Amino acid sequence: MRTSNHLIGLLNFLTFVLSIPILAGGIWLSSKANSTECLRFLQWPLIIIGVAIMVVSLAGFAGACYRNTFLMWLYLFVMFFVIVALIVFIVFAYAVTDKGSGRTVPSRVYLDYYLQDYSGWLKDRVAEESYWEKISSCVRDSKVCKKMGRIVGGVPESVEMFNLRKLSPIESGCCKPPSDCGFSYQNETVWTGVEGMVLFNSDCTNWNNDQSELCYNCDSCKAGVLASLKRSWRKVSVINIVVLIILVIAYVIGIAAFRNNRRIDNEEASGEARMEKARPSWIHS
Ligand SMILES: *[C@@H]1O[C@H](CO)[C@@H](O)[C@H](O)[C@H]1NC(C)=O
C-alpha cells in the first residue's frame, strides 16, 4: 500500500469520527424535551447528514484499505454532495434563526419574549394555526410549566425570588403572563389581574390561570419557542461549522492523494509499456 492510501484511510477514519458529533447533535436536538421536540422535522437533516458522512467514510476507508478505486471514486463523489448539504444546512440554520431575541424587563432577571421581534420562514411556520396547535400541545405535555414551581418553606417562592430567576424562553413565554400586563404574582403559574385594567398586550387576555391553558395560546409562547429553537440551533451550528472545515480539509487532501495514486499508476503503466517496447531491441543487440 502506498503512503497516500494510508493517508486517505486515516482521513476517512477521521471523517468517520467526525460524523459522531453531528449525529450526536441531531439526537441531542431530538431528545431535548420541551422545545425542539415539538418541532421534530428540524433535526432530521442533521441526522441524515451524520449518517451519510459515516457511511461514506466507511466506504472511503474500505476503498483505501483494499485499494478499490471504485469505492474511492464513490467516496469522493458522494462526499462532495455531503459537504454541499452541510453548507446548505448551516446557511439555512442561520437564515431561519436570524432575527429576534428576548427583551429585558426592569427589575427582572428573566427576559420577556414578543412575537413581533421575530420574522421569516420559521416564525411563519410556528405561528401558523394548525402548526401551533401541535407545538403548543407538545409544550403542554412536556410539563415544563409545572416543573417551574419552587416551594420555599411550604409556600411558593416569593415574587422577589421569582424576579431574580433566569427562566428559559419557553418558561418565560408560555408559563407566565407577559410582565407588561402588570398582573400580580400568586405562584409561578397563577397570576391575578386587577378588575378594569387597561391592557395593551393581547396576550394579557389570552392568559388563563387554568393550569392546562396558561399562556399556551399567547404570542409570547410562540416567541419563546422560536427563541429556544434559535439557541439550540446556534449550538448545533457551531459543531457543524467545525466539522465542515475539517471535512473540507480532509476532502482536499483526499483528492490530492487520490490523484497522486493515479499519477503513479499511470507512470508505472507507461513505464512498463516502454520497457515492453524496448525489450526486443535489447534482445537483438
Ligand atoms: C400554582 O398554584 C396552583 C393552584 O394552587 C397549582 O395548581 C399550580 O401547580 C401552582 N404552580 C406551580 C408552578 O407550582
Side-chain angles (χ1 to χ4, degrees):
M1 254 219 283
R2 299 216 171 81
T3 338
S4 49
N5 266 326
H6 287 292
L7 183 67
I8 295 173
L10 191 72
L11 286 172
N12 284 309
F13 183 70
L14 185 74
T15 54
F16 175 75
V17 172
L18 278 178
S19 67
I20 296 170
I22 292 211
L23 262 181
I27 293 167
W28 175 75
L29 274 183
S30 60
S31 70
K32 250 195 111 202
N34 79 40
S35 56
T36 34
E37 194 197 351
C38 307
L39 281 163
R40 255 222 171 95
F41 74 100
L42 290 171
Q43 70 268 0
W44 282 113
L46 206 55
I47 291 178
I48 292 169
I49 290 173
V51 170
I53 294 177
M54 203 170 248
V55 171
V56 169
S57 306
L58 281 180
F61 191 63
C65 283
Y66 299 116
R67 288 213 63 194
N68 184 322
T69 319
F70 172 72
L71 277 180
M72 288 300 302
W73 270 118
L74 190 70
Y75 165 78
L76 291 177
F77 185 72
V78 178
M79 197 54 111
F80 175 77
F81 289 100
V82 170
I83 289 176
V84 170
L86 196 56
I87 293 173
V88 168
F89 185 79
I90 291 169
V91 170
F92 172 79
Y94 271 92
V96 297
T97 61
D98 174 31
K99 288 229 181 67
S101 55
R103 292 189 197 170
T104 54
V105 190
S107 70
R108 311 280 155 93
V109 170
Y110 55 78
L111 304 173
D112 269 9
Y113 295 85
Y114 290 85
L115 193 59
Q116 60 262 38
D117 294 345
Y118 293 83
S119 63
W121 178 83
L122 196 59
K123 179 212 166 181
D124 296 340
R125 290 313 313 270
V126 168
E128 214 171 88
E129 195 69 50
S130 61
Y131 221 71
W132 179 247
E133 223 162 87
K134 282 188 203 135
I135 302 170
S136 62
S137 70
C138 174
V139 173
R140 188 180 292 133
D141 292 344
S142 73
K143 305 211 161 51
V144 57
C145 296
K146 198 171 169 58
K147 289 176 196 152
M148 216 172 113
R150 281 187 189 166
I151 301 295
V152 181
V155 291
E157 65 183 327
S158 66
V159 64
E160 289 79 19
M161 286 168 77
F162 182 70
N163 288 346
L164 291 176
R165 277 179 73 173
K166 253 183 113 96
L167 301 179
S168 77
I170 301 260
E171 288 172 335
S172 171
C174 306
C175 306
K176 64 159 192 59
S179 304
D180 59 12
C181 296
F183 290 168
S184 63
Y185 170 94
Q186 306 299 320
N187 74 6
E188 293 84 352
T189 56
V190 175
W191 298 70
T192 48
V194 180
E195 202 73 43
M197 237 164 98
V198 186
L199 302 171
F200 300 102
N201 187 339
S202 65
D203 282 349
C204 305
T205 44
N206 281 334
W207 171 260
N208 195 325
N209 281 330
D210 179 344
Q211 296 298 300
S212 67
E213 294 290 327
L214 300 180
C215 223
Y216 294 131
N217 280 318
C218 294
D219 282 348
S220 63
C221 189
K222 295 171 187 168
V225 167
L226 285 167
S228 168
L229 274 174
K230 181 174 172 170
R231 270 193 201 175
S232 34
W233 276 52
R234 286 288 154 97
K235 278 184 203 152
V236 168
S237 281
V238 171
I239 303 175
N240 284 351
I241 289 170
V242 172
V243 167
L244 177 68
I245 291 169
I246 303 175
L247 215 55
V248 167
I249 294 172
Y251 190 74
V252 169
I253 298 176
I255 287 190
F258 188 65
R259 287 176 65 174
N260 190 40
N261 271 3
R262 283 174 56 83
R263 190 176 52 79
I264 296 171
D265 281 347
N266 287 341
E267 272 170 14
E268 269 176 8
S270 58
E272 273 159 23
R274 235 180 289 123
M275 271 158 71
E276 216 111 283
K277 262 190 200 157
R279 199 167 295 134
S281 59
W282 293 343
I283 295 167
H284 285 295
S285 61

mmCIF file of all heavy atoms in Angstrom, residues 144-151 156 165 175 186-190 209 211 214, ligand 1:
data_model
loop_
_atom_site.group_PDB
_atom_site.id
_atom_site.type_symbol
_atom_site.label_atom_id
_atom_site.label_comp_id
_atom_site.label_asym_id
_atom_site.label_seq_id
_atom_site.Cartn_x
_atom_site.Cartn_y
_atom_site.Cartn_z
ATOM 1 N N VAL A 144 -43.401 21.507 31.284
ATOM 2 C CA VAL A 144 -42.329 22.429 31.636
ATOM 3 C C VAL A 144 -42.810 23.474 32.650
ATOM 4 O O VAL A 144 -42.060 23.868 33.539
ATOM 5 C CB VAL A 144 -41.724 23.065 30.361
ATOM 6 C CG1 VAL A 144 -42.766 23.774 29.545
ATOM 7 C CG2 VAL A 144 -40.590 23.999 30.699
ATOM 8 N N CYS A 145 -44.067 23.880 32.554
ATOM 9 C CA CYS A 145 -44.561 24.926 33.458
ATOM 10 C C CYS A 145 -44.751 24.392 34.876
ATOM 11 O O CYS A 145 -44.508 25.094 35.853
ATOM 12 C CB CYS A 145 -45.871 25.498 32.941
ATOM 13 S SG CYS A 145 -45.665 26.334 31.353
ATOM 14 N N LYS A 146 -45.188 23.159 34.950
ATOM 15 C CA LYS A 146 -45.382 22.557 36.264
ATOM 16 C C LYS A 146 -44.042 22.384 36.982
ATOM 17 O O LYS A 146 -43.927 22.637 38.179
ATOM 18 C CB LYS A 146 -46.074 21.197 36.097
ATOM 19 C CG LYS A 146 -46.698 20.693 37.383
ATOM 20 C CD LYS A 146 -47.545 19.465 37.144
ATOM 21 C CE LYS A 146 -47.943 18.829 38.461
ATOM 22 N NZ LYS A 146 -48.687 19.765 39.331
ATOM 23 N N LYS A 147 -43.022 22.012 36.180
ATOM 24 C CA LYS A 147 -41.685 21.798 36.758
ATOM 25 C C LYS A 147 -41.045 23.100 37.219
ATOM 26 O O LYS A 147 -40.030 23.089 37.905
ATOM 27 C CB LYS A 147 -40.781 21.135 35.712
ATOM 28 C CG LYS A 147 -41.144 19.691 35.431
ATOM 29 C CD LYS A 147 -40.265 19.127 34.325
ATOM 30 C CE LYS A 147 -40.844 17.853 33.755
ATOM 31 N NZ LYS A 147 -40.438 17.657 32.340
ATOM 32 N N MET A 148 -41.632 24.207 36.804
ATOM 33 C CA MET A 148 -41.069 25.503 37.151
ATOM 34 C C MET A 148 -41.307 25.864 38.613
ATOM 35 O O MET A 148 -40.634 26.724 39.169
ATOM 36 C CB MET A 148 -41.773 26.526 36.275
ATOM 37 C CG MET A 148 -40.969 27.650 35.813
ATOM 38 S SD MET A 148 -42.021 28.490 34.644
ATOM 39 C CE MET A 148 -42.307 29.989 35.495
ATOM 40 N N GLY A 149 -42.310 25.234 39.212
ATOM 41 C CA GLY A 149 -42.713 25.609 40.569
ATOM 42 C C GLY A 149 -41.627 25.340 41.602
ATOM 43 O O GLY A 149 -40.945 24.322 41.549
ATOM 44 N N ARG A 150 -41.443 26.308 42.502
ATOM 45 C CA ARG A 150 -40.475 26.120 43.599
ATOM 46 C C ARG A 150 -41.192 26.408 44.909
ATOM 47 O O ARG A 150 -41.856 27.436 45.050
ATOM 48 C CB ARG A 150 -39.301 27.081 43.457
ATOM 49 C CG ARG A 150 -38.307 26.614 42.448
ATOM 50 C CD ARG A 150 -37.093 27.500 42.467
ATOM 51 N NE ARG A 150 -36.215 27.185 41.350
ATOM 52 C CZ ARG A 150 -35.221 27.961 40.960
ATOM 53 N NH1 ARG A 150 -35.001 29.097 41.583
ATOM 54 N NH2 ARG A 150 -34.452 27.606 39.956
ATOM 55 N N ILE A 151 -41.031 25.492 45.818
ATOM 56 C CA ILE A 151 -41.653 25.649 47.123
ATOM 57 C C ILE A 151 -40.565 26.032 48.117
ATOM 58 O O ILE A 151 -39.527 25.372 48.202
ATOM 59 C CB ILE A 151 -42.338 24.331 47.558
ATOM 60 C CG1 ILE A 151 -43.403 23.912 46.535
ATOM 61 C CG2 ILE A 151 -42.943 24.471 48.948
ATOM 62 C CD1 ILE A 151 -44.581 24.851 46.424
ATOM 63 N N PRO A 156 -45.207 28.777 47.881
ATOM 64 C CA PRO A 156 -44.489 29.116 46.643
ATOM 65 C C PRO A 156 -43.460 30.221 46.903
ATOM 66 O O PRO A 156 -43.655 31.046 47.800
ATOM 67 C CB PRO A 156 -45.597 29.614 45.711
ATOM 68 C CG PRO A 156 -46.849 29.030 46.250
ATOM 69 C CD PRO A 156 -46.664 28.923 47.725
ATOM 70 N N ARG A 165 -35.092 34.998 38.995
ATOM 71 C CA ARG A 165 -34.804 33.740 38.309
ATOM 72 C C ARG A 165 -34.438 33.958 36.857
ATOM 73 O O ARG A 165 -34.924 34.887 36.214
ATOM 74 C CB ARG A 165 -36.017 32.805 38.388
ATOM 75 C CG ARG A 165 -36.059 32.046 39.677
ATOM 76 C CD ARG A 165 -37.255 31.163 39.747
ATOM 77 N NE ARG A 165 -37.165 29.998 38.885
ATOM 78 C CZ ARG A 165 -38.055 29.021 38.895
ATOM 79 N NH1 ARG A 165 -39.097 29.081 39.705
ATOM 80 N NH2 ARG A 165 -37.926 27.990 38.098
ATOM 81 N N CYS A 175 -45.420 30.099 30.362
ATOM 82 C CA CYS A 175 -45.886 29.718 31.699
ATOM 83 C C CYS A 175 -46.324 30.889 32.551
ATOM 84 O O CYS A 175 -46.906 30.694 33.618
ATOM 85 C CB CYS A 175 -44.798 28.956 32.436
ATOM 86 S SG CYS A 175 -44.171 27.549 31.514
ATOM 87 N N GLN A 186 -49.061 35.123 42.212
ATOM 88 C CA GLN A 186 -49.511 34.251 43.311
ATOM 89 C C GLN A 186 -48.523 33.095 43.457
ATOM 90 O O GLN A 186 -47.971 32.872 44.522
ATOM 91 C CB GLN A 186 -50.917 33.710 43.032
ATOM 92 C CG GLN A 186 -51.958 34.792 42.721
ATOM 93 C CD GLN A 186 -52.156 35.764 43.871
ATOM 94 O OE1 GLN A 186 -52.166 35.364 45.027
ATOM 95 N NE2 GLN A 186 -52.294 37.048 43.548
ATOM 96 N N ASN A 187 -48.370 32.352 42.379
ATOM 97 C CA ASN A 187 -47.213 31.462 42.264
ATOM 98 C C ASN A 187 -46.758 31.532 40.814
ATOM 99 O O ASN A 187 -47.270 32.354 40.047
ATOM 100 C CB ASN A 187 -47.541 30.043 42.779
ATOM 101 C CG ASN A 187 -48.416 29.253 41.824
ATOM 102 O OD1 ASN A 187 -48.706 29.702 40.711
ATOM 103 N ND2 ASN A 187 -48.824 28.077 42.244
ATOM 104 N N GLU A 188 -45.813 30.686 40.418
ATOM 105 C CA GLU A 188 -45.212 30.822 39.093
ATOM 106 C C GLU A 188 -46.252 30.815 37.975
ATOM 107 O O GLU A 188 -46.076 31.485 36.949
ATOM 108 C CB GLU A 188 -44.205 29.694 38.854
ATOM 109 C CG GLU A 188 -42.973 29.734 39.736
ATOM 110 C CD GLU A 188 -43.191 29.085 41.094
ATOM 111 O OE1 GLU A 188 -44.345 28.735 41.426
ATOM 112 O OE2 GLU A 188 -42.197 28.928 41.830
ATOM 113 N N THR A 189 -47.316 30.042 38.178
ATOM 114 C CA THR A 189 -48.286 29.878 37.084
ATOM 115 C C THR A 189 -49.683 30.355 37.464
ATOM 116 O O THR A 189 -50.646 30.035 36.778
ATOM 117 C CB THR A 189 -48.346 28.398 36.635
ATOM 118 O OG1 THR A 189 -48.645 27.586 37.768
ATOM 119 C CG2 THR A 189 -47.033 27.944 36.037
ATOM 120 N N VAL A 190 -49.796 31.096 38.532
ATOM 121 C CA VAL A 190 -51.084 31.728 38.883
ATOM 122 C C VAL A 190 -50.844 33.218 39.097
ATOM 123 O O VAL A 190 -50.053 33.610 39.958
ATOM 124 C CB VAL A 190 -51.708 31.088 40.148
ATOM 125 C CG1 VAL A 190 -52.967 31.837 40.542
ATOM 126 C CG2 VAL A 190 -52.024 29.619 39.912
ATOM 127 N N ASN A 209 -55.493 31.274 34.208
ATOM 128 C CA ASN A 209 -54.927 30.584 35.369
ATOM 129 C C ASN A 209 -55.224 29.094 35.374
ATOM 130 O O ASN A 209 -54.644 28.360 36.173
ATOM 131 C CB ASN A 209 -55.438 31.214 36.667
ATOM 132 C CG ASN A 209 -54.684 32.491 36.994
ATOM 133 O OD1 ASN A 209 -53.518 32.635 36.646
ATOM 134 N ND2 ASN A 209 -55.369 33.422 37.633
ATOM 135 N N GLN A 211 -54.539 25.631 34.738
ATOM 136 C CA GLN A 211 -53.178 25.112 34.556
ATOM 137 C C GLN A 211 -52.976 24.384 33.226
ATOM 138 O O GLN A 211 -51.832 24.106 32.850
ATOM 139 C CB GLN A 211 -52.790 24.212 35.727
ATOM 140 C CG GLN A 211 -52.720 24.936 37.071
ATOM 141 C CD GLN A 211 -51.672 26.041 37.094
ATOM 142 O OE1 GLN A 211 -50.494 25.785 36.890
ATOM 143 N NE2 GLN A 211 -52.094 27.287 37.333
ATOM 144 N N LEU A 214 -52.875 28.382 30.735
ATOM 145 C CA LEU A 214 -51.773 29.334 30.956
ATOM 146 C C LEU A 214 -51.618 30.273 29.765
ATOM 147 O O LEU A 214 -52.592 30.881 29.331
ATOM 148 C CB LEU A 214 -50.466 28.572 31.254
ATOM 149 C CG LEU A 214 -50.518 27.663 32.491
ATOM 150 C CD1 LEU A 214 -49.179 26.968 32.697
ATOM 151 C CD2 LEU A 214 -50.904 28.436 33.743
HETATM 152 C C1 LIG B 1 -49.690 27.327 41.497
HETATM 153 O O1 LIG B 1 -50.867 27.101 42.221
HETATM 154 C C2 LIG B 1 -51.842 26.354 41.535
HETATM 155 C C3 LIG B 1 -53.121 26.344 42.372
HETATM 156 O O2 LIG B 1 -52.833 26.139 43.717
HETATM 157 C C4 LIG B 1 -51.306 24.941 41.320
HETATM 158 O O3 LIG B 1 -52.240 24.145 40.625
HETATM 159 C C5 LIG B 1 -50.037 25.044 40.463
HETATM 160 O O4 LIG B 1 -49.456 23.787 40.307
HETATM 161 C C6 LIG B 1 -49.040 26.009 41.119
HETATM 162 N N1 LIG B 1 -47.997 26.248 40.152
HETATM 163 C C7 LIG B 1 -46.756 25.777 40.310
HETATM 164 C C8 LIG B 1 -45.795 26.059 39.224
HETATM 165 O O5 LIG B 1 -46.403 25.153 41.284
#
